[in-house]
Amino acid sequence: MRSSAVRAGIGILLSTLIALFATIAVEIIARGSLTDVGDFLTSTARPGMTTVVMLTVLMLSLDAAFGRRFQSVLIIVPLVLIPAFVSNQKQHYLSDPLYPSDVLFGRQIVELLPVMVRDRPLTAVALVIGIVVFAAGLVMAWRYCWRHLPRVSHKARVRRLCLGLPVIFAFGSLMDYSQYSWIRDRLQVVPMMWDQKENYRSNGFILAFIFNVPMADVAAPSGFGSQALDAIPARNYGYLRGPSEKPDVIMLMSESFWDPTRLNSVTLSADPMPNIRAAQSGYVFSPEFGGMTANVEFEALTGFSNAFLPYGSIPYQQYIRTDVPSLATFFRSEGYVARALHPFSGWFWNRNEVYKDFGFEEFRSEETMPAMEKRGIFASDDSLMKEIMQEADGLDRPFFFFGVTLQGHGPYEPNRYANNSIDIQGNLNDAERATLTTYTQGIKEADDSFRMLTEWASKRDRETIIILWGDHLPPLGSVYMTTGYMPDQVATRKAPVEVMKKEHETPLVIWSNRKGSKSDVGTVSPSMLPYHLLKFAGYEHPYYTGFLGRMQKKYPIVDRYQLIARDGTPTPDWVLKPAGLDPLVRDYRYLQHDIMFGKAQSRARFFPETAGTEDSGT
């Protein structure tokens, strides 16, 4: 009995050592160096040992299932080392690490092979030889181990599985980063989905890869295919045409811009947003709350919807790997200068690469902009507006500028502003009052910046259109609960229409220096903004004003949990009922899937401006 316990203990120790060495090898291979590997394994803020324990439990459980000690090494070690090697090679050419969703873009990976052969022929030859030798060696090692490794007794197998499977299930709760995990919190594992390079560096290749697994499953919708795409009617969708005089367009997504006067249990000494309120056209129904800006941006620039993608996915990180039609593509086809501006690091949300795929000819980020005035640690809205005006004044051609502000970003620390010009009265504690005061002052300054921009535009000869909206409600913490605005610190995902609008609406302005504000837009998803912008500018387009025009007329809000019709009637849980789905919504999903994941068969009909640049897809 004692000797069997000793053997079991030695077996667990050896499995742990193998898991440790495998983890170290994976990190060295994936990173291409020893950089940060030591910190990854020893720092309490990084989950190196979590990875080791996870691999150990997995190997012990597989050994129990096979009935042979250490047999699982021949499965687990190749399973983690090979993807790490592929990730290392991918980063030589595409800079990004390997994602599970890369299997959706296998064609691109295959296309990299000739590049690798030309660039590193000896490596390519060695790789082929290595694969053959490795496969043969693995088969031989499996046969040898199966015959010679010690067996695991029946009782020990049952015991290991009874202990191991619940632990594996618990580790499985780590995967869905979009949901709170008590285990993940205790282990100090922090998914960093906004910056995948840091995610892989900090959490290690194995855990970071796991975090991205739920987003890799983008199955073709039921009924999708060539015939279904051809059957989508193109009549009455409008031909590509525009106004005789092309207007300049400035599209501004204002960070966390929202109307704090909606907190009806507090009193503000002045309206913090009188100019935007006077020009307001309606509301944007944000699919996010308190963050995930890139998802709102994705919808507004493409006219596609997050509702058709896996919950928790971030298209900028997982899916944009090739040219995707966007407003930038369209405006460039019309002879515009298409430029994106954001006074933060270009790597954030992978914007450096995504903006290229969207067709922007230039992205002005913190790295390429002049030094900007700050509010706290963030660039002020005023400084971004001044940069936009200066760049616009230097252009002769019409332009499309897409700007993302930064000043309104949380957290809303006390004393961010030297002077807070709006007093707040209400039943708030000191910390809540400080948070709301800082946020409200930021809204006032954003409103002042908007006024400065419209005053400048009003003096211009060429028509200038400005569209501005907030990406999501701000993360004000307990302020929402104390004021009775929401029952929790974050918005709900499923609720009646009036509650959802209350917790997801942000102000929307569509304004022209010649026509004034577009009125009565109502509440729309960000994906409907291309329709309203191009229609207001005088353009007709098969997709942006044609297909989206039909969509917004019937369903101005397309949310993953409910469709909301123009009369406010909801269709809850529509994604779970594909058989009864409105053909219009079905076609919307077909078109998006075809462009993002299919063969782009519909591109010529619905995005004629991309003629000659079609990607045959994967």
Side-chain angles (χ1 to χ4, degrees):
M1 182 70 179
R2 186 174 179 182
S3 61
S4 64
V6 170
R7 286 197 302 271
I10 293 174
I12 292 173
L13 177 61
L14 288 175
S15 293
T16 302
L17 289 174
I18 293 170
L20 175 61
F21 289 134
T23 301
I24 294 172
V26 164
E27 293 308 314
I28 293 174
I29 293 171
R31 299 167 193 259
S33 71
L34 288 167
T35 303
D36 292 331
V37 174
D39 289 342
F40 166 72
L41 289 169
T42 59
S43 173
T44 57
R46 294 183 180 177
M49 297 315 296
T50 298
T51 304
V52 173
V53 172
M54 182 174 67
L55 291 182
T56 301
V57 173
L58 186 58
M59 285 194 295
L60 291 173
S61 299
L62 284 176
D63 286 344
F66 292 129
R68 296 288 191 282
R69 296 183 189 275
F70 310 118
Q71 189 81 27
S72 61
V73 173
L74 297 177
I75 296 177
I76 297 299
V77 172
L79 198 62
V80 295
L81 290 183
I82 292 173
F85 174 77
V86 174
S87 182
N88 175 279
Q89 293 301 302
K90 179 189 173 188
Q91 290 178 84
H92 278 298
Y93 302 98
L94 298 179
S95 76
D96 276 351
L98 182 72
Y99 303 125
S101 56
D102 283 333
V103 299
L104 301 171
F105 302 91
R107 177 171 170 262
Q108 294 182 59
I109 297 173
V110 171
E111 287 177 348
L112 282 177
L113 295 179
V115 178
M116 179 181 171
V117 172
R118 289 195 303 269
D119 186 43
R120 303 165 72 186
L122 294 179
T123 301
V125 172
L127 180 61
V128 173
I129 295 174
I131 290 173
V132 173
V133 172
F134 178 79
L138 191 62
V139 171
M140 294 175 63
W142 182 272
R143 294 181 63 184
Y144 177 85
C145 292
W146 186 261
R147 293 173 180 172
H148 296 90
L149 286 176
R151 294 176 179 271
V152 182
S153 69
H154 180 72
K155 288 184 178 180
R157 293 176 69 180
V158 173
R159 190 164 53 247
R160 284 192 186 187
L161 290 173
C162 288
L163 293 174
L165 292 180
V167 176
I168 293 172
F169 179 80
F171 274 117
S173 70
L174 296 174
M175 289 179 59
D176 190 357
Y177 74 88
S178 62
Q179 300 292 330
Y180 173 76
S181 167
W182 183 88
I183 295 174
R184 191 170 62 225
D185 189 54
R186 299 288 80 75
L187 293 173
Q188 298 187 13
V189 177
V190 181
M192 302 177 183
M193 309 308 286
W194 59 90
D195 180 6
Q196 289 289 0
K197 289 183 180 179
E198 179 62 20
N199 190 29
Y200 276 72
R201 187 188 73 83
S202 181
N203 289 312
F205 176 82
I206 294 173
L207 281 182
F209 190 86
I210 288 173
F211 291 146
N212 283 283
V213 166
M215 276 66 74
D217 183 21
V218 186
S222 176
F224 176 80
S226 295
Q227 290 184 340
L229 290 167
D230 289 339
I232 299 176
R235 62 183 183 278
N236 301 323
Y237 277 12
Y239 296 97
L240 190 61
R241 65 176 185 268
S244 55
E245 181 186 356
K246 297 176 180 179
D248 290 330
V249 176
I250 300 172
M251 198 174 190
L252 288 171
M253 189 167 68
S254 185
E255 174 62 46
S256 298
F257 190 89
W258 177 68
D259 182 0
T261 66
R262 284 192 158 196
L263 298 170
N264 52 22
S265 66
V266 298
T267 302
L268 279 57
S269 61
D271 185 355
M273 45 176 282
N275 300 290
I276 289 177
R277 194 182 308 283
Q280 192 166 339
S281 303
Y283 297 92
V284 163
F285 184 95
S286 176
E288 303 296 344
F289 176 89
M292 306 297 285
T293 297
N295 283 354
V296 183
E297 190 176 317
F298 162 76
E299 291 201 7
L301 283 172
T302 63
F304 295 148
S305 177
N306 289 288
F308 302 129
L309 299 172
Y311 176 69
S313 62
I314 306 168
Y316 275 24
Q317 297 286 10
Q318 284 102 13
Y319 307 129
I320 308 299
R321 297 285 189 277
T322 187
D323 293 344
V324 174
S326 76
L327 287 175
T329 315
F330 168 76
F331 279 114
R332 283 188 71 180
S333 75
E334 289 291 305
Y336 280 64
V337 173
R339 190 173 295 169
L341 304 96
H342 178 48
F344 199 59
S345 298
W347 52 259
F348 203 78
W349 289 129
N350 199 31
R351 285 188 175 103
N352 278 331
E353 301 304 319
V354 170
Y355 284 158
K356 292 176 186 176
D357 291 334
F358 278 177
F360 285 101
E361 56 193 287
E362 186 176 1
F363 172 32
R364 301 294 307 282
S365 64
E366 182 180 47
E367 294 86 353
T368 56
M369 283 182 173
M372 291 195 163
E373 178 188 16
K374 297 292 182 70
R375 291 290 187 270
I377 63 173
F378 301 121
S380 70
D381 284 9
D382 253 22
S383 60
L384 179 60
M385 298 308 113
K386 289 174 182 176
E387 179 66 18
I388 287 173
M389 292 186 292
Q390 180 176 335
E391 294 196 22
D393 288 339
L395 295 172
D396 295 325
R397 292 161 53 196
F399 62 81
F400 168 63
F401 285 175
F402 176 73
V404 182
T405 71
L406 191 60
Q407 179 176 338
H409 205 291
Y412 307 105
E413 72 282 0
N415 306 316
R416 178 187 292 189
Y417 301 98
N419 296 297
N420 292 310
S421 58
I422 298 178
D423 294 327
I424 297 176
Q425 300 295 322
N427 185 27
L428 300 170
N429 63 38
D430 291 343
E432 292 166 342
R433 191 182 311 278
T435 294
L436 186 56
T437 298
T438 295
Y439 176 74
T440 302
Q441 182 64 28
I443 293 297
K444 181 188 183 304
E445 294 199 8
D447 187 75
D448 291 341
S449 299
F450 173 77
R451 182 190 65 215
M452 176 177 66
L453 188 65
T454 54
E455 288 177 351
W456 162 81
S458 296
K459 300 173 184 176
R460 305 187 78 232
D461 293 332
R462 181 181 289 152
E463 181 181 9
T464 304
I465 293 173
I466 298 171
I467 175 170
L468 176 145
W469 78 99
D471 54 352
H472 50 68
L473 269 69
L476 295 177
S478 60
V479 169
Y480 291 118
M481 295 184 292
T482 301
T483 59
Y485 193 79
M486 296 191 310
D488 203 349
Q489 294 188 23
V490 297
T492 184
R493 293 290 184 180
K494 296 183 179 181
V497 172
E498 60 274 13
V499 174
M500 292 294 286
K501 285 188 174 182
K502 180 180 179 181
E503 299 181 3
H504 289 271
E505 281 183 338
T506 65
L508 167 66
V509 173
I510 303 175
W511 176 91
S512 163
N513 61 347
R514 291 188 182 175
K515 295 178 285 196
S517 294
K518 180 178 175 66
S519 60
D520 301 325
V521 172
T523 303
V524 299
S525 286
S527 58
M528 301 300 155
L529 292 179
Y531 164 79
H532 290 285
L533 170 59
L534 292 192
K535 202 73 175 177
F536 192 62
Y539 285 99
E540 294 290 343
H541 182 272
Y543 181 77
Y544 294 124
T545 62
F547 187 85
L548 282 187
R550 290 187 63 197
M551 272 299 304
Q552 67 84 34
K553 186 176 181 180
K554 192 169 185 180
Y555 300 108
I557 299 174
V558 181
D559 180 67
R560 70 174 64 251
Y561 295 110
Q562 60 184 325
L563 294 168
I564 302 177
R566 182 159 294 281
D567 63 1
T569 303
T571 304
D573 297 323
W574 57 276
V575 294
L576 304 177
K577 308 167 186 175
L581 191 60
D582 188 320
L584 183 61
V585 181
R586 178 203 63 202
D587 290 348
Y588 189 14
R589 186 175 188 179
Y590 284 172
L591 287 173
Q592 177 172 326
H593 190 88
D594 177 50
I595 296 297
M596 291 186 65
F597 307 107
K599 297 181 179 179
Q601 173 184 330
S602 58
R603 183 182 293 223
R605 282 201 302 153
F606 289 94
F607 300 95
E609 69 274 16
T610 63
T613 63
E614 289 88 344
D615 188 337
S616 59
T618 58

